[in-house]
Amino acid sequence: MMLSIPERESWFAKPTLWGIVMLFVALLTLSLWQIKGLASSPVDANIPLVQVTLGDVASQAAAYGRLIPRVSSSLVAKVEGNISQLHAYPGTEVEPGQAILSLVNPQLQREFQIAQLEWQIEQANYQSETLNQQRRVTELANEIAIAKSEITFADKEISTLTVLHKQQLIGDLEFLRANTRVEQLYLKLELLNASADSIHLGLAAERGVLDAKLKAAKLRLALIESDMIELTVLTNSSGIIGELGDNIEVGQVIRKGDLIAKLTDPDTLYARLNILAMDASDIAIGMLVKVELKGQFYMADIIRIHPAIEDNQITVEAQFHDDLPSLAKANQSVSASVIRQHKEHVLRLTPPIYFDPKQSQQIFYVKQGADFVATEVTVGLVNRDVVEVISGLREGDWVAAQLPFEQ
């Protein structure tokens, strides 16, 4: 009996094992296809694109704030009255001495008329008293002149009588009377001179009183006249009326010291801006600021950084390079961008939706033929409009603005 050796069965012949191998190949193929799909995908005509170009890129920090005048003044009422007319309104550009409003005050008008009358009375009194003083001085001068004349005559007479007395032509009694009369005349002249000195002193004092009364009347008239002038409120400098005080309208009562208007000098406007503290770590004095005002941009420099942080913000002050247009007003709200860094003539593109500003290296999807190719890109400066490309892209490349496939 012959022994037969059974044939060894090939593993290809086993259907179960063959099925496992086929499944493994299918899974491997599917995995490779998926991996390739991550690197490239067919171009969808509906996917928006952004192009890599050459240009400027600036790292900016957003800011907002107001225009503040460095020079401003307040117009206050110097007298009381009722507003009879408004001559200017907020936003009006004014020159020095321009009328803002007019007041009426009947009581002040009456006081002015009384002061005018008192001034006229004091002038008349001054003139009258001055004439009286001149008359008294003249009378005294005449008396002194007469006394001097009498003394001259008496001296001549006593000289004659002295000769006659020596010749014993007149008696001792008569000669004594003549000498006594001469002495009396000299005493009278002395008294008149003393009286003249006293009268001059008295007249000087009286003139001082008259001058004081006249000056007081004149000063009172001038003060009331000044108040009358203040019934028309005038600007004290050029500028723009920023705002009027409370209840500034025709018919309202204005008290002395009430605020009428605030006047600002538009040439001294600067921007006071607030920046989030997390964006302000590298903010420095001298940095350029681009301020938006009514759709136009004006350049300024940071001249001051406030040291305190309030509400998670810091405050900076920026001085404009050029004069602002007339549309710029005090306390006007503005938005701005602080340019922290600036590069010229570098590769840049508008950041895609999937761009992460916190990562310096990330994947962009670049259009190559019919596919989007996942490309690692190194980025630099970033702002809300453009991002700098350091490596990974070339000028003219087109990049998907949104993910070209569903994640």
Side-chain angles (χ1 to χ4, degrees), residues 81-195:
N82 292 79
I83 300 176
S84 61
Q85 187 176 0
L86 288 174
H87 304 290
Y89 296 88
T92 304
E93 186 171 357
V94 295
E95 297 296 330
Q98 185 169 334
I100 299 296
L101 57 81
S102 297
L103 302 172
V104 292
N105 187 329
Q107 182 179 354
L108 184 61
Q109 180 67 37
R110 287 195 299 272
E111 290 179 359
F112 179 66
Q113 294 172 349
I114 293 172
Q116 283 181 316
L117 180 60
E118 290 177 349
W119 162 245
Q120 293 171 356
I121 292 174
E122 289 300 332
Q123 282 182 309
N125 289 337
Y126 185 87
Q127 293 175 355
S128 176
E129 290 299 323
T130 299
L131 291 175
N132 287 335
Q133 289 182 354
Q134 291 176 350
R135 178 180 55 77
R136 291 165 60 188
V137 169
T138 302
E139 289 176 354
L140 182 59
N142 291 337
E143 290 180 7
I144 292 174
I146 292 172
K148 288 180 178 180
S149 177
E150 289 178 346
I151 288 174
T152 301
F153 178 77
D155 284 340
K156 292 179 180 180
E157 183 181 16
I158 200 64
S159 296
T160 302
L161 292 175
T162 300
V163 174
L164 294 175
H165 182 262
K166 287 179 179 181
Q167 295 175 355
Q168 295 183 353
L169 295 176
I170 60 173
D172 292 339
L173 182 59
E174 186 177 356
F175 182 72
L176 180 60
R177 288 176 179 173
N179 279 328
T180 302
R181 182 171 177 274
V182 171
E183 291 176 359
Q184 289 176 344
L185 289 175
Y186 272 103
L187 180 60
K188 179 181 179 181
L189 179 61
E190 185 178 351
L191 292 175
L192 287 174
N193 286 329
S195 178

Side-chain angles (χ1 to χ4, degrees), residues 26 47 92 126 135 148 152 193 200 241 305 332 352 361 378:
I47 294 178
T92 304
Y126 185 87
R135 178 180 55 77
K148 288 180 178 180
T152 301
N193 286 329
H200 283 303
I241 299 176
I305 301 175
Q332 185 171 352
Q361 290 183 328
T378 302

Side-chain angles (χ1 to χ4, degrees), residues 170-335:
I170 60 173
D172 292 339
L173 182 59
E174 186 177 356
F175 182 72
L176 180 60
R177 288 176 179 173
N179 279 328
T180 302
R181 182 171 177 274
V182 171
E183 291 176 359
Q184 289 176 344
L185 289 175
Y186 272 103
L187 180 60
K188 179 181 179 181
L189 179 61
E190 185 178 351
L191 292 175
L192 287 174
N193 286 329
S195 178
D197 293 337
S198 176
I199 288 177
H200 283 303
L201 290 175
L203 293 178
E206 290 178 5
R207 281 196 299 270
V209 173
L210 291 174
D211 288 339
K213 289 183 177 180
L214 188 64
K215 288 180 179 178
K218 184 177 181 181
L219 178 60
R220 183 169 184 271
L221 176 61
L223 290 175
I224 298 178
E225 188 174 14
S226 176
D227 287 345
M228 291 288 294
I229 294 174
E230 295 297 340
L231 289 174
T232 301
V233 180
L234 306 178
T235 58
N236 50 19
S237 62
S238 61
I240 294 176
I241 299 176
E243 58 180 295
L244 297 177
D246 297 334
N247 299 323
I248 300 299
E249 56 186 49
V250 174
Q252 292 295 323
V253 177
I254 295 294
R255 306 292 182 184
K256 186 176 181 179
D258 286 352
L259 175 66
I260 292 177
K262 288 186 176 180
L263 198 64
T264 61
D265 185 349
D267 294 335
T268 66
L269 289 176
Y270 71 96
R272 181 178 292 173
L273 305 170
N274 296 319
I275 306 172
L276 290 176
M278 65 180 184
D279 294 333
S281 58
D282 53 354
I283 298 297
I285 291 177
M287 282 186 174
L288 197 65
V289 182
K290 185 167 64 173
V291 181
E292 182 179 1
L293 181 64
K294 299 292 186 178
Q296 300 293 324
F297 291 94
Y298 301 89
M299 306 310 296
D301 293 321
I302 293 179
I303 58 174
R304 183 187 177 194
I305 301 175
H306 291 223
I309 297 178
E310 297 182 3
D311 298 329
N312 201 31
Q313 296 176 334
I314 68 167
T315 300
V316 302
E317 296 177 7
Q319 184 68 44
F320 289 96
H321 293 178
D322 302 309
D323 292 339
L324 295 176
S326 59
L327 56 86
K329 310 295 182 185
N331 295 320
Q332 185 171 352
S333 298
V334 294
S335 59

